[in-house]
Amino acid sequence: MIGVGILGASPDRGWAAMAHLPALAALPEQYRLVAVGTSRAESAREAQRRFGAAHAFTNAEELAGHPEVDLVVVTVKVPAHRELVLAALAAGKHVYCEWPLGRDAAEAEELAKAAEAAGVRAVIGLQGRFSPAAVAARKLIDEGKIGRIRTATLLSARARGGVGGVPAWMAYTFDRANGAGLVEVLGGHAVDLLRHLAGPIRAISGRSTLQVTEQVIAETGERIEVNTPDHLAAVAELDGGALATVLVHDNEQFRPRVHLEIAGTEGTLTLVSAPERQLLAIQPQIGRLELLDTQGEPVPLPGSELPVPAVNVAALYRQLAVDLNTGSRVVPDFRDALDLHELLVT
């Protein structure tokens, strides 16, 4: 049984409550929720009560140092990742950090080296790889169903920053210094899904633009300046010689979506997003994807009773437990995160 402590386990909102906690609750034979941590004592106690944790903390070092915690999960805002990951590593604990790993490639490199020095498993939250559609597509590709990959095309569009303003918690993502904008988050998840299915990326070049330079905070009406791009277009050369094109953008009010097409010498596979609009407005690349076969027909995929945000996260946790128990290394780690950070700045 793996004891888990979650930093950023707000009881009211957030990725931990939406995805991580339901995922862990669905895996009681592999994981036990030992501790929750938030910045305020009141919310930490409420999270402890609501999620059934054994302990509540407002101090990351104390949570990481608890003897029953084997794995520290970091789900807070990106600028705080470095401090909290380092606290977990200093305590000698395994770490699961949400993507992006750091605000930039330099922070990612520091954390990757620290994890290697600590000799623990350091997992990055690139859970799109574990979506049922991505797993099924990877299997078909590995079996040679589409032959040699010749080209791939990926579109990922979300509604962030559109009509109605943005929630206050999202305001920090519009400041480029925080490393949580379109290029880092949406671009990172999109490029990782592409390279996981179509193959390693040998080289990539891209252009980004900023078209909406001001946003309004929905709760207060306050206007904030935007200095992080809202459009990214890139061309990637894959190891096998194929070319891939990537387009990701915000402010898509009419049809937030993901469309990934991988064409080979024997056929084409297509992954398309299912229409959960609320989730798509945040991170479509980790929502529910559907897979079409080479004839354009839907491929049957396993169902789940979990809420949509938790399905891929639960699959990553399930594989992580296998990795920790057997010594295998399937889940993406901090080195994968560093490689992705470096791709995004080339």
Side-chain angles (χ1 to χ4, degrees):
M1 185 76 69
I2 301 166
V4 180
I6 298 186
L7 295 168
S10 169
D12 301 319
R13 60 165 177 80
W15 189 240
M18 290 173 62
H20 284 266
L21 289 155
L24 290 168
L27 302 169
E29 296 181 356
Q30 296 171 306
Y31 293 94
R32 171 178 173 245
L33 181 62
V34 172
V36 289
T38 70
S39 60
R40 296 182 297 110
E42 181 181 354
S43 64
R45 288 193 297 268
E46 175 58 21
Q48 178 186 15
R49 183 196 68 79
R50 187 175 302 183
F51 303 125
H55 307 281
F57 294 91
T58 57
N59 182 285
E61 289 82 4
E62 292 178 2
L63 181 149
H66 193 282
E68 296 176 27
V69 172
D70 305 304
L71 171 69
V72 177
V73 180
V74 177
T75 67
V76 299
K77 293 179 179 179
V78 177
H81 283 188
R82 177 184 178 275
E83 176 185 358
L84 301 185
V85 168
L86 289 175
L89 295 176
K93 302 302 174 71
H94 303 301
V95 185
Y96 177 163
C97 182
E98 273 298 344
W99 171 263
L101 177 55
R103 287 177 294 182
D104 53 32
E107 278 194 1
E109 182 176 19
E110 178 189 7
L111 295 177
K113 289 180 176 178
E116 290 173 357
V120 299
R121 291 297 179 92
V123 178
I124 189 66
L126 293 170
Q127 58 266 28
R129 300 181 179 198
F130 295 89
S131 111
V135 171
R138 179 65 182 263
K139 184 173 185 292
L140 292 174
I141 292 168
D142 289 345
E143 291 173 348
K145 299 297 186 183
I146 65 170
R148 181 177 61 82
I149 294 175
R150 297 194 298 188
T151 187
T153 304
L154 173 60
L155 166 66
S156 185
R158 63 181 177 179
R160 187 188 77 134
V163 176
V166 298
W169 68 264
M170 191 183 286
Y172 92 104
T173 68
F174 293 96
D175 183 348
R176 194 164 195 164
N178 290 321
L182 169 99
V183 173
E184 297 85 2
V185 177
L186 194 64
H189 280 292
V191 170
D192 186 68
L193 182 61
L194 171 67
R195 68 177 183 170
H196 177 66
L197 293 178
I201 294 175
R202 180 186 301 167
I204 187 169
S205 62
R207 293 287 299 272
S208 61
T209 64
L210 172 58
Q211 298 185 33
V212 179
T213 58
E214 186 179 81
Q215 291 289 347
V216 177
I217 303 301
E219 294 91 336
T220 65
E222 176 191 0
R223 295 185 177 276
I224 60 171
E225 179 184 350
V226 177
N227 62 18
T228 187
D230 48 31
H231 283 68
L232 170 67
V235 176
E237 181 183 358
L238 306 180
D239 262 1
L243 284 181
T245 57
V246 178
L247 174 63
V248 296
H249 69 90
D250 279 336
N251 308 302
E252 176 55 76
Q253 298 305 307
F254 304 104
R255 195 157 57 94
R257 63 203 184 278
V258 173
H259 185 106
L260 171 58
E261 191 170 281
I262 303 173
T265 54
E266 304 297 328
T268 298
L269 291 177
T270 306
L271 284 79
V272 294
S273 51
E276 284 90 5
R277 184 178 177 87
Q278 182 178 2
L279 182 67
L280 287 170
I282 305 171
Q283 299 185 106
Q285 70 291 335
I286 54 177
R288 182 163 65 88
L289 294 171
E290 297 177 341
L291 175 64
L292 307 181
D293 64 19
T294 56
Q295 307 303 315
E297 296 297 324
V299 174
L301 298 173
S304 175
E305 295 182 358
L306 286 169
V308 170
V311 172
N312 303 346
V313 175
L316 192 157
Y317 272 119
R318 193 175 295 113
Q319 181 59 54
L320 174 58
V322 174
D323 284 357
L324 290 174
N325 289 325
T326 67
S328 59
R329 291 184 174 272
V330 175
V331 296
D333 61 19
F334 281 12
R335 276 291 158 186
D336 293 302
L338 176 57
D339 290 344
L340 186 53
H341 271 283
E342 290 176 339
L343 278 175
L344 294 174
V345 296
T346 55

